[in-house]
Amino acid sequence: MSKLFIIKIGGNVLDNPAALSAFLKDFAAIKEPKILIHGGGKIATRLGDQLGIESKYINGRRITDAQTLDVVTMVYGGLVNKQIVATLQTLACNAMGVTGADGNLIKAVKRPVKDIDYGFVGDIKQDSVNTSLLSSLLNQNIVPVFAPLTHADGSMLNTNADTIASVLAVALSKQFDVRLIFCFEKKGVLMDVNDQNSVITHLPRKRYDELLPQGVFADGILPKLENAYAAIQTGVKEVLIGEAKDLLKNTGPVTEGTLITL
């Protein structure tokens, strides 16, 4: 099987024009088939504030009411996605910006209300990816750039970008040798969140289970880790969490950052 890199970019990198520009140059330089998934929560929050739409969170997760859904659809699927695609085109990377609704690429279900009503938020089942269309795009040297939006019953749904990356990696692992890479502003998973040199270079599941009760992992890294282990357990060969500026190293045989294994 041919190699496929599925790369998620988020955090402070999207909010930093210089860092984003450098990252996209490196991303465009990757020769193998690739897919990019991006976030954009901070930008959505800023625009919402300008429009007088307050961002609401519970346990660090955004509540997506009807007004907020309009904002995230505009920001994720429009502003951020198309700026990334336009930049990649200048770098001779034939990118195509998509959401889950485009070509029915990712179907979802609206998250059911339990203790908390998260609103228009999508949960994805593993069999909900249109792998035949994605494979066709990749075989034509088209680079899909996913905004963190899915769809169900005629509505767009705000969907965690880490989850989209993980689900895509699992779905495509039957056709490609997939390396899933989560890129952000830190060098990897840290033992001490205030010490960039405390990278955990290898984090098998047993070690993660030992460290979790000790409060080692910051809240923001936990969804990445859970998605990483879910991907590894269901067919993805390699998952790596690392700094955006190390992207090219992390597509090679000798990597920086944190390697996730069973």
Side-chain angles (χ1 to χ4, degrees):
M1 292 190 290
S2 61
K3 194 80 175 178
L4 171 64
F5 293 105
I6 295 181
I7 298 164
K8 189 266 176 173
I9 184 66
N12 294 331
V13 179
L14 279 175
D15 214 31
N16 181 326
L20 179 59
S21 176
F23 169 83
L24 292 176
K25 285 180 183 177
D26 287 344
F27 178 82
I30 298 169
K31 303 301 182 186
E32 294 85 357
K34 57 202 172 189
I35 295 174
L36 181 63
I37 303 96
H38 65 80
K42 291 182 180 180
I43 300 169
T45 297
R46 278 205 307 271
L47 184 58
D49 290 344
Q50 292 170 15
L51 296 172
I53 300 170
E54 181 185 359
S55 296
K56 303 180 185 70
Y57 297 88
I58 296 179
N59 298 330
R61 297 182 182 271
R62 187 187 295 272
I63 303 299
T64 307
D65 57 19
Q67 282 188 312
T68 302
L69 180 64
D70 287 346
V71 172
V72 298
T73 301
M74 287 188 293
V75 172
Y76 300 163
L79 180 64
V80 176
N81 188 268
K82 299 314 173 190
Q83 285 180 338
I84 289 173
V85 169
T87 300
L88 288 173
Q89 293 295 350
T90 68
L91 297 167
C93 176
N94 192 16
M96 177 183 289
V98 295
T99 70
D102 298 292
N104 201 26
L105 285 169
I106 307 175
K107 292 182 292 185
V109 294
K110 187 173 180 288
R111 182 170 297 169
V113 178
K114 294 180 181 177
D115 296 333
I116 301 169
D117 183 357
Y118 285 102
F120 293 94
V121 170
D123 290 330
I124 312 169
K125 296 180 180 178
Q126 291 291 356
D127 60 353
S128 298
V129 177
N130 187 343
T131 54
S132 61
L133 178 53
L134 270 176
S135 296
S136 175
L137 293 173
L138 291 166
N139 290 332
Q140 296 175 72
N141 296 318
I142 294 170
V143 179
V145 178
F146 274 87
L149 297 162
T150 56
H151 74 117
D153 301 321
S155 174
M156 299 303 294
L157 296 171
N158 186 11
T159 307
N160 182 276
D162 290 342
T163 301
I164 289 177
S166 178
V167 168
L168 288 174
V170 171
L172 289 165
S173 65
K174 298 175 180 62
Q175 296 160 281
F176 296 90
D177 177 4
V178 176
R179 179 180 292 181
L180 172 59
I181 303 175
F182 293 103
C183 293
F184 66 148
E185 67 276 5
K186 297 186 183 300
K187 291 183 178 296
V189 181
L190 306 177
M191 278 293 291
D192 179 353
V193 72
N194 297 311
D195 181 4
Q196 280 274 25
N197 295 315
S198 65
V199 176
I200 304 170
T201 56
H202 183 207
L203 191 59
R205 183 77 205 213
K206 182 179 179 182
R207 179 67 172 148
Y208 169 76
D209 290 338
E210 291 170 352
L211 292 174
L212 184 61
Q214 301 176 30
V216 169
F217 307 114
D219 290 344
I221 203 70
L222 287 174
K224 288 182 176 60
L225 289 170
E226 286 299 331
N227 281 302
Y229 289 115
I232 288 288
Q233 288 171 328
T234 44
V236 176
K237 187 174 181 181
E238 301 165 317
V239 181
L240 196 133
I241 299 175
E243 194 170 11
K245 70 179 185 179
D246 288 331
L247 176 62
L248 289 180
K249 289 182 184 177
N250 287 335
T251 58
V254 181
T255 61
E256 302 286 339
T258 300
L259 183 66
I260 305 295
T261 61
L262 288 179

